Amino acid sequence: MSAPPESDVLLIENVPASAASPAGGVVSVWTINRPDKLNALNAEVNTALKSACDWAESDDSVRVIVITGAPPNEPPEGKRPKPNSFVAGADISEFEGKSSAEIREIFDDNVWEYIWNLTKPTIAMIDGFALGGGSEIALSCDLRLATPRSKFGTPEINLGIIPGGGGTQRLCRLLGYGRALEMVMSGEMIGGEEANRIGLINHLVGEDEIGDKTMEIAQNLASKSPHTIRVAKAAVRAALEQPFSAGILAERDLFCALFDTADMEIGVKAFLNRETAEWTGA
Ligand code: COA
């Protein structure tokens, strides 16, 4: 496996995928590490995340990516502890004084699209604030797990702006028009329980269990054929991009093409022989 990019603001730990098939795969866990600023996305974090995406996409041993935020540091004596945070948004201090042309340059090549465009499964593990650009990181991932104390929101309206990392579109697709518009216009936060109730997250998990539950899900995804997983993701994504009838055809094309793959042959044979499939990834 190639070396992941190194950065102080994005810690990358590669956990061997126990049932990886083909063997040797890893679950790559990325921790956004600016806890004193509630893991806000400054230029350095954005660059590190983009490099990590390029690396993960190019290295076959990376099977699943987990993105999370660093827990708070011990506070200095006499100071209150900082709250837990996934990512409390884009770094607002970097907005000051920017013109529309300057901000467009940054947002035209933005981190949320890098994450969204990963062809491997991505999981956001959320314990704390997921606000603004942080909620958009979560929305750019395929799955979201969160603790009850987590808080989701798009508070950009309170800064005189709107979400710019795909939040309006992805929230609308995930929650429907009514709820998305309410979140975007009100800027109000919702807790983990409510996020679970409305389908903003996939799983609500206690803070002591979320690490294990996330890895259990990641390990399961890492045990599938990496090729078939990519195709599955592309097929479901087709529903977001195309009219229903075109999506049905796109799915059929992808489904039929799988019948020319080694992994389809292996999977079907393994089932019929009551064996565990050993994928080739092709
Ligand atoms: N950008 C830059 N810095 C941020 C930040 C952001 N999005 N969110 C939090 N921080 C910083 C604070 O400035 C503070 O820094 P300091 O200790 O050096 O002063 C530190 O993180 C802790 O935040 P603080 O506001 O003191 O914590 P809190 O518990 O009182 O409030 C929040 C927590 C999340 C409610 C509050 O920080 C907040 O509203 N953040 C901005 C959320 C937002 O609008 N995000 C969308 C951006 S587009």
Side-chain angles (χ1 to χ4, degrees):
M1 145 180 221
S2 59
E6 280 185 32
S7 162
D8 291 342
V9 294
L10 184 70
L11 311 177
I12 298 185
E13 187 193 0
N14 293 311
V15 180
S18 46
S21 179
V26 299
V27 175
S28 192
V29 181
W30 302 354
T31 303
I32 298 169
N33 187 35
R34 291 185 78 212
D36 288 345
K37 296 290 179 188
L38 311 193
N39 301 319
L41 304 170
N42 64 0
E44 202 184 347
V45 177
N46 288 337
T47 302
L49 275 168
K50 288 194 250 178
S51 302
C53 288
D54 286 342
W55 164 76
E57 197 59 25
S58 68
D59 193 312
D60 284 347
S61 55
V62 177
R63 297 294 163 71
V64 180
I65 295 134
V66 173
I67 303 181
T68 194
N73 290 318
E74 273 300 311
E77 203 158 316
K79 296 269 182 191
R80 74 179 167 114
K82 307 260 171 179
N84 280 72
S85 187
F86 172 68
V87 173
D91 192 311
I92 299 169
S93 65
E94 293 186 353
F95 284 170
E96 209 174 11
K98 288 234 166 38
S99 68
S100 61
E102 285 165 326
I103 206 77
R104 174 175 283 282
E105 205 173 303
I106 298 168
F107 274 65
D108 274 350
D109 182 41
N110 72 64
V111 68
W112 304 282
E113 293 305 311
Y114 275 67
I115 295 170
W116 179 256
N117 288 331
L118 286 166
T119 60
K120 305 178 181 193
T122 50
I123 304 175
M125 182 169 81
I126 301 153
D127 182 22
F129 289 110
L131 302 175
S135 71
E136 288 168 313
I137 296 268
L139 289 166
S140 296
C141 289
D142 301 328
L143 305 183
R144 284 156 291 284
L145 279 76
T147 58
R149 68 181 171 189
S150 296
K151 294 247 184 267
F152 295 84
T154 48
E156 288 91 338
I157 197 88
N158 301 323
L159 303 171
I161 53 176
I162 63 167
T168 60
Q169 304 306 297
R170 292 193 181 101
L171 270 178
C172 215
R173 299 292 208 280
L174 194 60
L175 304 183
Y177 173 80
R179 280 190 205 285
L181 192 51
E182 184 173 2
M183 280 185 78
V184 170
M185 291 201 306
S186 72
E188 277 168 14
M189 294 185 209
I190 61 171
E193 306 261 2
E194 174 75 349
N196 192 39
R197 201 179 62 73
I198 65 176
L200 181 50
I201 60 173
N202 297 72
H203 300 277
L204 181 71
V205 194
E207 57 225 46
D208 294 336
E209 292 95 49
I210 192 165
D212 286 349
K213 180 71 183 169
T214 303
M215 284 315 281
E216 181 190 318
I217 292 172
Q219 292 280 1
N220 178 43
L221 295 175
S223 73
K224 314 294 181 198
S225 156
H227 177 68
T228 319
I229 279 270
R230 261 197 303 276
V231 173
K233 183 163 168 171
V236 178
R237 282 284 172 87
L240 299 179
E241 305 280 353
Q242 309 187 26
F244 183 78
S245 52
I248 292 284
L249 292 178
E251 179 197 87
R252 196 175 308 154
D253 286 346
L254 291 166
F255 169 78
C256 292
L258 287 172
F259 280 68
D260 288 337
T261 63
D263 279 353
M264 178 270 175
E265 211 171 301
I266 288 166
V268 170
K269 256 200 194 99
F271 174 81
L272 295 175
N273 295 334
R274 297 178 181 272
E275 291 164 357
T276 304
E278 289 185 24
W279 310 113
T280 64

